[in-house]
Amino acid sequence: MQMENRNNEQTSYRKIVEQWAQERENLQYVQPYTARKAAQKALLFAPWIAEMQLDEIEPALLSEALMHLGSKGGRSRKGLSTATLRAAHLAGSQAADWAITRGMAEKNPFRNIARPRANYRQSQFLTQGQANKLARTASRSFNKCLANGNIAYASYSLAVCLALATGLRRGEIFALDWDDFNEKTMRISVSKAIKGDGSLGRPKSVASIRNVAIGEKLCKLLQKMRDWQEEHFPEKDWSQNAFIMCGEDGAAASLNAFEHWWRAWADKGGWKGLRFHELRHTHATLLISNGTDVKTVQMRLGHSSAEVTMSCYAHALPMADGSAATLLDSTLFSR
């Protein structure tokens, strides 16, 4: 009986999720932050099935859990988003499949419950004129904050400029250090990213490790930032992760503080509801609509293939097609 109890404990849903996450992290199947986040999603079902073995879990119990989480889940008790419910179902199912391959269970109870359909918000992107206005506003904010000695807000403003001009993800931008900036070649090297928990790790995928060209004006903003830091942080160890985006003490800038700043700054400036990640969408959309080939856009964004880029930014092709037609029309029928 004692052996049976120990076996039940080892194969409970909670234990399976924990062991699944630990293996994924230890064997580097995914990055540590990704493994932990997936486990958190899977354990949203814990109040109902945490101590049960997989083969004991009935589909009706999972349905009950999903309905409760969708109507009363979350800190506010107003219900979790459909995207979160879908992610929780996926993570739980993946953990169950892992347990089956390890001989810890015979069936996956999630297979009998339809995965919730996520109602994702349609991503926005700025027009060329809107992007120009945002870039000018951000660069002016950068210069003003730097002149006033507010290095944190100057960093945040510079992050906006970088996102629009390079398409880098938020975590990639805040992980940049001065060794990643080559002013002679005017390129930025992307090889790491700040995760949601603040840890420094690899970027999203192997394809995300890349070199991105930048223009002269952005290069000058970066040079200005470096000059300011060298003057005001003389004791800074420039050989140890000297981050470009930094706080008042010269250490890495806070992502949480940045998110609060961005929401207030963007809403006040007339870009209400615009998400920072949508600056990446804007970058890609403007490149394609202005005639940049998809392969170049893929390389700049760090996508694994041109097909991925096309699937994300097919909406930009009609604009590019219209520009091409206008160009040929003016050339063919010019007097």
Side-chain angles (χ1 to χ4, degrees), residues 17-18 20-21 24 34-44 91:
V17 170
E18 291 172 351
W20 167 67
R24 297 177 87 206
T34 303
R36 291 192 291 269
K37 287 296 289 184
Q40 289 174 8
K41 291 290 192 299
L43 288 175
L44 287 172

Side-chain angles (χ1 to χ4, degrees), residues 96-137:
D97 282 341
W98 174 87
I100 292 171
T101 63
R102 300 302 188 279
M104 302 166 72
E106 294 183 358
K107 66 179 183 179
N108 180 346
F110 290 90
R111 296 287 182 188
N112 298 314
I113 300 296
R115 189 167 299 155
R117 186 186 300 273
N119 298 320
Y120 296 109
R121 196 198 86 177
Q122 184 68 33
S123 291
Q124 301 181 58
F125 61 89
L126 304 178
T127 64
Q128 185 70 65
Q130 292 170 330
N132 293 346
K133 180 182 177 182
L134 179 57
R136 287 194 298 268
T137 302

Side-chain angles (χ1 to χ4, degrees), residues 66 124 142 177 187 201 209 279 285 288 323:
L66 282 170
Q124 301 181 58
F142 167 76
D177 60 48
R187 284 185 171 274
I209 300 174
L279 303 187
T285 300
I288 294 174
S323 299

Side-chain angles (χ1 to χ4, degrees), residues 82-102:
T82 53
T84 299
L85 295 178
R86 182 176 177 82
H89 184 289
L90 175 61
S93 184
Q94 288 176 337
D97 282 341
W98 174 87
I100 292 171
T101 63
R102 300 302 188 279

